[in-house]
Amino acid sequence: MVGQDSGITPAGVLLPGFVGETLPDWLAVRLRAGLAGVCLFGQNIVSAGQLAELTAAIRAANPLAVIAVDEEGGDVTRLHDRLGSPYPGNAILGRADDVDYTTAIATTVGWELRRAGCTLDFAPDVDINSNPDNPVIGVRSFGTDPALVARHSAAWVTGLQSTGIGGSAKHFPGHGDTALDSHLALPVIDRSLEQLRDRELVPFVAAIAAGVRTIMTSHIMVPQLDAQSPATFSSTVLGGLLRGELGFEGVIVTDALDMAGASGEIGIPEAAVRAVAAGCDLLCIGTENTAEQLDDIERALAIAVVTGRVHPERLADAVARVRRLARDFIEDSHDIPLPAYTSEPRFSIERTISVFDTAAFAEAGLRIQTDRSIVVPETEANIAVGASPWGLAAAGAEVSVLREGEALELAPGTQQVIVGRGNHRQAWVRSLIDDARRQHPSTVVVEMGWPSDDRRYADVATFGASRHAGLALLLWLERQAGA
């Protein structure tokens, strides 16, 4: 029986976000009443000490609360939202192609999360970035080769989960071959099941074999599998493919339901109903949820159970899976001792520099001058990355930010180094670069996102824009200027 008396309530599958740096009273009340947990974002985190106090308050309200966070170890960072990530990021790791190094970095991320009091990391991103115009995956991916992405996905899962932190392979069944951001629209991947088996599903198979605790769905349409519903709402994709064919027995978690690809037309409560009915167990709601929103979602789920849209056993199964996951985290925290604290991780700048793509720089006969000005075109970061400091600015370099419509002003004899993310995807940035190259042939263009295949707007490509990558680029520029 599903109901208050049985302890199986809709709250047991909900994972909201919230505003603020301390636990709100309304959320504490819900946690004590059995809310599944919370998802933390950069806006909730000020310092390591503050975060530890926050997670302790969450656990005090509900010892079985799942405390989740997006810490991908690269451009997407929550723990280092205010300074920028000290980690290289997946695309750099894929280019280095050293699985032991990938495992070591994921292990460090895990220990950092353990000290902070978190239990679940929505990482690694195991999407294959097969479309260079992808606006939301890009350098979050290990690469374009299925076998490479698979082995690093497994290595990341192994390293992270060795610390007692749960991992989440995302975004099932694969978000790499899209040119739209599901935060803002509903992307379509028109590939057959056989094609998915050959490419998109390969890293998920590897992550499952490595024992990944959760898998996150994507709000994308795969019409050759299900022409009616996006993956998050598709029992064919989740039940038939993920549970049935791939044999995944862990927790299926949704990507945030406040994204347009999920709830843009139907609203979050209806999205929650469809997700649970399709086979999702844990519903990531969004970043700034309220008590009123959760009331609406819980009411919609309760009505769906009464009317038969969600079978009571389906909700009970979801709640049971989430609780089992939470109990596993508690057991792991007892069985896996936390090592002594070490200072902020330092990873090899030299190794990161070694995977930069500088072929176009060399072929054009360019060089870095001592007198140079770093210009950063201001483009909107994708929502997953957010406004975290990145690149050379995060590394402490002086940069000039240029906005669309503004003119370049360059002192005579000064070289212009244009450093952007996704240069080829913005018309005004392409025009800026073309004009700069015509007027100043010494101009050097750096791409810190995922470059186009022809590298037209990337004399140098770093394949990452974390603070770590910015420090590596800064050192590379200084060395080139002194060469």
Side-chain angles (χ1 to χ4, degrees):
M1 167 126 184
V2 176
Q4 190 67 41
D5 293 340
S6 69
I8 306 300
T9 67
V13 299
L14 302 185
L15 191 74
F18 63 93
V19 177
E21 299 154 9
T22 58
L23 183 64
D25 290 341
W26 67 266
L27 194 51
V29 169
R30 288 179 181 272
L31 284 164
R32 286 192 288 270
L35 183 70
V38 297
C39 187
L40 302 178
F41 293 88
Q43 65 178 5
N44 305 123
I45 301 170
V46 176
S47 66
Q50 169 267 333
L51 177 56
E53 291 179 2
L54 173 58
T55 57
I58 294 168
R59 287 195 306 276
N62 181 358
L64 285 177
V66 174
I67 305 175
V69 66
D70 279 300
E71 186 58 49
E72 295 182 9
D75 286 28
V76 175
T77 182
R78 305 297 182 236
L79 298 183
H80 304 280
D81 182 71
R82 283 166 169 72
L83 296 176
S85 172
Y87 300 101
N90 283 3
I92 289 173
L93 295 178
R95 288 176 65 79
D97 198 12
D98 180 342
V99 292
D100 290 337
Y101 187 47
T102 295
T103 301
I105 286 179
T107 301
T108 306
V109 172
W111 288 131
E112 190 174 18
L113 290 169
R114 273 286 301 277
R115 291 189 187 91
C118 298
T119 60
L120 176 62
D121 187 11
F122 289 142
D125 188 317
V126 307
D127 298 306
I128 297 168
N129 199 62
S130 51
N131 187 341
D133 291 331
N134 195 313
V136 68
I137 303 302
V139 298
R140 300 167 66 192
S141 167
F142 289 110
T144 61
D145 177 70
L148 180 146
V149 175
R151 60 179 173 267
H152 286 278
S153 297
W156 222 97
V157 167
T158 299
L160 178 73
Q161 294 192 165
S162 71
T163 67
I165 297 294
S168 188
K170 61 187 184 185
H171 306 80
F172 190 82
H175 204 316
D177 193 13
T178 66
L180 295 175
D181 184 346
S182 53
H183 292 87
L184 308 172
L186 181 59
V188 176
I189 294 184
D190 194 12
R191 292 175 64 79
S192 69
L193 179 55
E194 193 59 38
Q195 289 173 321
L196 292 171
R197 289 184 182 124
D198 289 342
R199 188 172 71 183
E200 279 79 5
L201 298 180
V202 175
F204 288 100
V205 171
I208 292 170
V212 71
R213 296 288 185 85
T214 76
I215 288 181
M216 178 178 281
T217 67
S218 60
H219 308 319
I220 61 172
M221 291 293 297
V222 190
Q224 294 192 48
L225 272 62
D226 187 332
Q228 305 302 318
S229 302
T232 300
F233 306 150
S234 173
S235 58
T236 299
V237 173
L238 302 183
L241 180 56
L242 182 54
R243 292 283 192 215
E245 179 174 330
L246 302 190
F248 179 62
E249 294 295 334
V251 168
I252 299 176
V253 58
T254 70
D255 206 345
L257 292 182
D258 64 353
M259 294 164 60
S263 60
E265 296 184 359
I266 60 176
I268 297 176
E270 175 63 17
V273 170
R274 296 187 188 185
V276 173
C280 293
D281 306 307
L282 184 60
L283 311 184
C284 182
I285 309 301
T287 59
E288 299 181 353
N289 303 126
T290 65
E292 292 73 23
Q293 280 183 319
L294 265 63
D295 283 340
D296 292 342
I297 296 167
E298 291 183 35
R299 186 179 305 112
L301 283 168
I303 292 172
V305 170
V306 171
T307 59
R309 292 187 64 199
V310 173
H311 200 281
E313 279 68 25
R314 168 78 277 272
L315 180 60
D317 174 63
V319 172
R321 288 178 186 273
V322 173
R323 288 180 177 173
R324 187 161 56 246
L325 178 72
R327 291 190 179 98
D328 287 344
F329 292 150
I330 293 174
E331 291 179 7
D332 287 348
S333 68
H334 293 152
D335 296 341
I336 303 174
L338 188 66
Y341 174 78
T342 57
S343 60
E344 180 181 282
R346 303 282 181 186
F347 298 109
S348 173
I349 295 292
E350 297 297 341
R351 179 171 289 196
T352 296
I353 291 174
S354 72
V355 302
F356 286 176
D357 184 346
T358 60
F361 176 84
E363 290 170 5
L366 293 167
R367 64 184 185 86
I368 302 299
Q369 299 175 7
T370 302
D371 294 327
R372 60 186 182 272
S373 176
I374 298 171
V375 178
V376 177
E378 185 178 80
T379 56
E380 188 173 354
N382 74 61
I383 294 173
V385 171
S388 177
W390 63 278
L392 293 176
E398 182 178 344
V399 304
S400 298
V401 176
L402 191 71
R403 296 168 181 83
E404 185 174 3
E406 294 181 344
L408 280 171
E409 295 183 4
L410 195 63
T414 300
Q415 181 184 38
Q416 182 172 270
V417 179
I418 299 175
V419 181
R421 293 187 292 188
N423 294 333
H424 68 285
R425 294 191 291 104
Q426 304 284 336
W428 77 271
V429 177
R430 295 195 301 270
S431 295
L432 166 72
I433 293 170
D434 290 339
D435 291 343
R437 284 170 167 168
R438 280 194 299 268
Q439 298 175 31
H440 307 283
S442 67
T443 295
V444 173
V445 179
V446 179
E447 172 62 78
M448 298 198 78
W450 194 281
S452 60
D453 290 339
D454 62 11
R455 302 294 197 269
R456 180 176 174 183
Y457 296 100
D459 298 318
V460 177
T462 65
F463 288 88
S466 66
R467 174 161 50 94
H468 168 91
L471 289 166
L473 176 60
L474 188 61
L475 179 57
W476 182 86
L477 290 170
E478 291 171 351
R479 285 178 176 173
Q480 291 295 317

